[in-house]
Amino acid sequence: MSETIVGNDLQQAIHLLDNGECVAIPTETVYGLAANALNEEAVLKIFEIKNRPHFDPLIVHTHSINEIEKYVEAIPDWALQLMNKFSPGPITYLLQKKNNIPDLVTSGLNTVAIRIPEHILTLELLRNLSFPLAAPSANPFGYISPTTAFHVKDQLDSKIKYILDGGDCNIGVESTIIGLENNLPTIFRVGGIAVEEIENVIGKVQIRIESSSNPHSPGMLLSHYAPRKPLLFDKVEENLKLNSDKRTGIISFFKKYDAVENENQIQLSPNQNLHEVAKNLFAAMRKLDAANVEIILAEKFPEIGLGRAINDRLKRAAKK
Ligand code: AMP
Ligand code: MG
């Protein structure tokens, strides 16, 4: 295939998607690699391009609650309350699927992961399609998710025809995934909507993000979202001493470290804002992965609000 085109031509994206092709799309979380969720052949292309194992189910994207109703058996009360508050937004619901969603999308599960992304261009795109879009992150399986059109092009060039460029992703980490376990609302992936915000709406929820052996939620795999270089999470001062013989890059909240050259350290938010950290996190990991360093050290962030999702991604990036 020839070089991938990057642009903001909705008609071009619609045309390709109508014809069963994959298109990279912007969302508020990360860029997605999208295809017609109702067309198995189109969905198969997503798995092939990403090199994604078939046991890893995809998230389905639509533009409204009315649309969601077409693909799920029912929207339970807890989900409706959350949708009214946070959708469009970075939260994905696991709901009983209808038969129109192919098994390939859900890896054979009887639930479908579905959400309404908060991005003007992509909402406009979805309103102009007669089908929802299945879209995992637009990167090779296991690598850091893309938060700019350039990140997508960098890794998927010539593998797809078109990248719809909607600018930098506003949230910068993947959506929070919530479903039921033993009939209780349960968070399976921490993400762009904080646990505290969810609990403010529906009360206490369970959190099940540590299970490493559950192949049904590989976003939960211990090693994921990872740079190619070794990344050491937390205990930066200690790790600096232990690795004083290595060229080192550092990802920090706001602090500067004297032991490392300025160009190899990234302060994610000098004014200590976790939204800014989330927004800049994946780009920083990519930058240091490409820099002249041998290892990357990353601080642990406060475990509140978006800090949980940020630490979760760094922890998985650190596992090999
Ligand atoms: P992403 O790679 O951001 O598209 O996220 C997809 C992730 O959503 C998967 O790796 C799973 O962890 C989760 N997921 C999708 N569908 C389901 C489902 N039906 N049940 C449980 N988890 C799901
Ligand atoms: Mg992904």
Side-chain angles (χ1 to χ4, degrees), residues 50 52 136-137 139 145 174 189 224-225:
K50 272 187 66 89
R52 182 172 174 117
S137 50
N139 55 282
S145 299
E174 293 82 355
R189 176 170 77 187
H224 209 74
Y225 314 107

Side-chain angles (χ1 to χ4, degrees), residues 83-144:
M83 283 176 195
N84 284 331
K85 180 89 183 176
F86 299 120
S87 296
I91 177 165
T92 297
Y93 310 91
L94 300 178
L95 302 173
Q96 292 297 313
K97 81 178 191 75
K98 280 189 178 148
N99 283 337
N100 50 9
I101 298 291
D103 285 338
L104 183 61
V105 171
T106 64
S107 303
L109 298 170
N110 54 15
T111 52
V112 59
I114 195 158
R115 84 177 192 98
I116 306 173
E118 187 174 28
H119 193 288
I120 302 177
L121 204 53
T122 290
L123 284 171
E124 185 64 19
L125 173 68
L126 287 164
R127 282 192 281 264
N128 280 282
L129 296 169
S130 59
F131 46 80
L133 292 174
S137 50
N139 55 282
F141 183 69
Y143 194 70
I144 307 161

Side-chain angles (χ1 to χ4, degrees), residues 46-67:
I46 297 177
F47 284 94
E48 279 164 13
I49 292 168
K50 272 187 66 89
N51 206 1
R52 182 172 174 117
H54 286 204
F55 62 72
D56 193 356
L58 308 179
I59 295 176
V60 171
H61 296 67
T62 66
H63 60 82
S64 69
I65 298 178
N66 281 344
E67 281 296 306

